[in-house]
Amino acid sequence: MIAPILRQKSALRAAVKAWKQAGETVAVVPTMGALHQGHLSLVRAAETQCDRVIVTIFVNPKQFNNPEDLENYPRTEEDDAQKLSHHRVDAIYCPDPDQIYPDGFCTNISISGLTEVLCGAHRPGHFDGVATVVTKLFTQTLADKAFFGEKDFQQLQVVKRLAADLDLPVEVVGCPTIREEDGLAMSSRNLLLSDRARIKAPALHEALEDMADGLRNGGTAEELGAIARKRLIAAGFNEVEYLDLRACDDLSLLNKPDRDARLLVAAWLAGVRLIDNIGV
Ligand code: AMP
C-alpha cells in the first residue's frame, strides 16, 4: 500500500500527535529522493526499531553549493512512493518548499570544526544547509530515532554532533553503506553517470580497499594516498578532491590508523562527484 504523501507540516503534526498519544515511537528517514536500496536499508532499520516510520523526501536547495547540481538532481517522487509501498512506511513527507523555508526565513545552523574538512572544505555552505534542514525535519516530525547512512560519513558525524549540542530529543542511528555488486556505493548521483563512466566508477571503492590493506600492513596514509590518487586518475577519474585517513570521532587527519579510523574519498568522474568511505 502506498503511504499517504503529506506536503504540509500541519498534516504531519496531526499524524504524529495521534501516534504519540497512543504511546507509539516514531522514526524518521530523511532523504532527497531517487530512492535506491541504500535508502531502503535505512527504512528497514527504522521499521525494526520504531512503531511508526516517516520517510521525508526534500531536495534541499540550501545544501547545494552549485545551482547546476541542484537542477540536475534526479526527482522521481512517484517511483519513490512505489518503492516505499513494499515497506511499513506510515507517511511520506514531501514538504512544499515554504513548509521548510517560509517567507523571510533567516536562521542558519552552523557547526564548526567537523564541517571545515573533507566535503565541507570543498562545498561551502553545504553542511549549514544540511544542519538547518535536518533540525527542521527533527522538530517537525518529533521523531524518537533518525536513520542516516554511513555512506555520508561526515554528515552522520555532523548530525550526531548537532543533536547532542542542541539537546534535540532524537537518537541518531548510523547504518552501513549498501553497494552494487561491483562495489560501487549506491547513490542517487550514480543515475547521472554515462555507461562509460559507470564502468570506471568501481575503481573508487577498489582504491579505498587497497589503501586500507596497505595501512594494515604498516604503510602510511601519505604514501599510500599518493599511489591511490595516481591510480584513480589512471582509471579515468578527472580529479580527486580528497583521499584522507581520519579519526572517526572528530575527523582529525591521521597518517596511521592508530585510533578508530576511516578512509574517505571524493572524486570527479565525467562531471559527477562521487564520495565513498570505509572503516580501517
Ligand atoms: P540522500 O538522499 O542522498 O540525501 O541520502 C539520504 C540518506 O540515505 C542519507 O542518510 C544517506 O547517507 C543514506 N544513503 C545514501 N546512499 C546510501 C547507501 N548506499 N547505503 C546506505 N545509506 C545510504
Side-chain angles (χ1 to χ4, degrees):
M1 207 182 69
I2 293 195
I5 296 181
L6 310 178
R7 301 191 190 274
Q8 298 284 313
K9 62 188 165 196
S10 52
L12 176 73
R13 268 291 165 79
V16 171
K17 192 172 169 200
W19 298 334
K20 295 240 162 177
Q21 274 173 351
E24 293 173 326
T25 55
V26 177
V28 66
V29 181
T31 81
M32 296 205 297
L35 301 183
H36 51 65
Q37 287 300 324
H39 298 113
L40 298 177
S41 74
L42 306 185
V43 175
R44 270 193 293 278
E47 280 177 76
T48 58
Q49 295 188 38
C50 289
D51 301 315
R52 299 286 180 172
V53 178
I54 303 167
V55 175
T56 71
I57 300 179
F58 181 64
V59 181
N60 175 31
K62 229 177 174 322
Q63 73 188 68
F64 285 80
N65 52 308
N66 175 345
E68 215 177 300
D69 189 22
L70 173 60
E71 199 176 308
N72 291 340
Y73 201 84
R75 288 164 173 85
T76 59
E77 192 183 293
E78 268 179 37
D79 270 15
D80 292 346
Q82 256 322 319
K83 286 179 185 157
L84 293 173
S85 69
H86 304 290
H87 295 266
R88 189 172 56 72
V89 173
D90 298 280
I92 305 172
Y93 183 48
C94 303
D96 290 333
D98 71 338
Q99 299 297 291
I100 302 293
Y101 301 120
D103 263 357
F105 187 87
C106 56
T107 299
N108 185 48
I109 310 260
S110 188
I111 291 143
S112 57
L114 281 179
T115 62
E116 286 157 23
V117 296
L118 302 168
C119 288
H122 292 272
R123 302 185 65 189
H126 169 68
F127 284 114
D128 284 14
V130 169
T132 304
V133 80
V134 164
T135 304
K136 295 216 50 157
L137 293 172
F138 286 176
T139 55
Q140 291 187 355
T141 61
L142 301 175
D144 300 289
K145 291 193 182 195
F147 294 79
F148 288 83
E150 289 179 349
K151 158 79 181 10
D152 300 278
F153 191 79
Q154 186 177 18
Q155 171 174 278
L156 174 62
Q157 302 313 312
V158 167
V159 172
K160 282 185 172 170
R161 189 75 252 167
L162 164 76
D165 287 358
L166 296 185
D167 299 315
L168 301 177
V170 58
E171 183 188 335
V172 177
V173 182
C175 302
T177 302
I178 305 298
R179 298 180 178 281
E180 304 285 358
E181 264 177 26
D182 59 13
L184 178 66
M186 289 191 183
S187 165
S188 309
R189 285 203 163 79
N190 295 350
L191 294 174
L192 305 175
L193 291 169
S194 66
D195 290 349
R196 276 187 63 189
R198 175 63 189 81
I199 291 168
K200 297 173 184 168
L204 197 63
H205 177 241
E206 285 157 23
L208 289 180
E209 289 292 353
D210 289 352
M211 194 167 158
D213 280 346
L215 288 165
R216 284 184 206 107
N217 291 328
T220 64
E222 204 179 331
E223 64 195 25
L224 293 164
I227 297 166
R229 279 170 178 267
K230 279 193 194 137
R231 271 190 50 193
L232 282 170
I233 299 298
F237 280 77
N238 310 97
E239 186 199 339
V240 181
E241 268 186 6
Y242 62 76
L243 173 50
D244 289 355
L245 180 69
R246 293 201 172 249
C248 287
D249 49 5
D250 61 4
L251 300 182
S252 58
L253 197 60
L254 302 176
N255 201 26
K256 294 245 177 195
D258 39 24
R259 295 161 60 181
D260 197 11
R262 203 99 190 160
L263 266 177
L264 305 103
V265 67
W268 286 87
L269 174 61
V272 183
R273 185 175 182 275
L274 298 177
I275 61 170
D276 200 354
N277 68 86
I278 58 171
V280 181

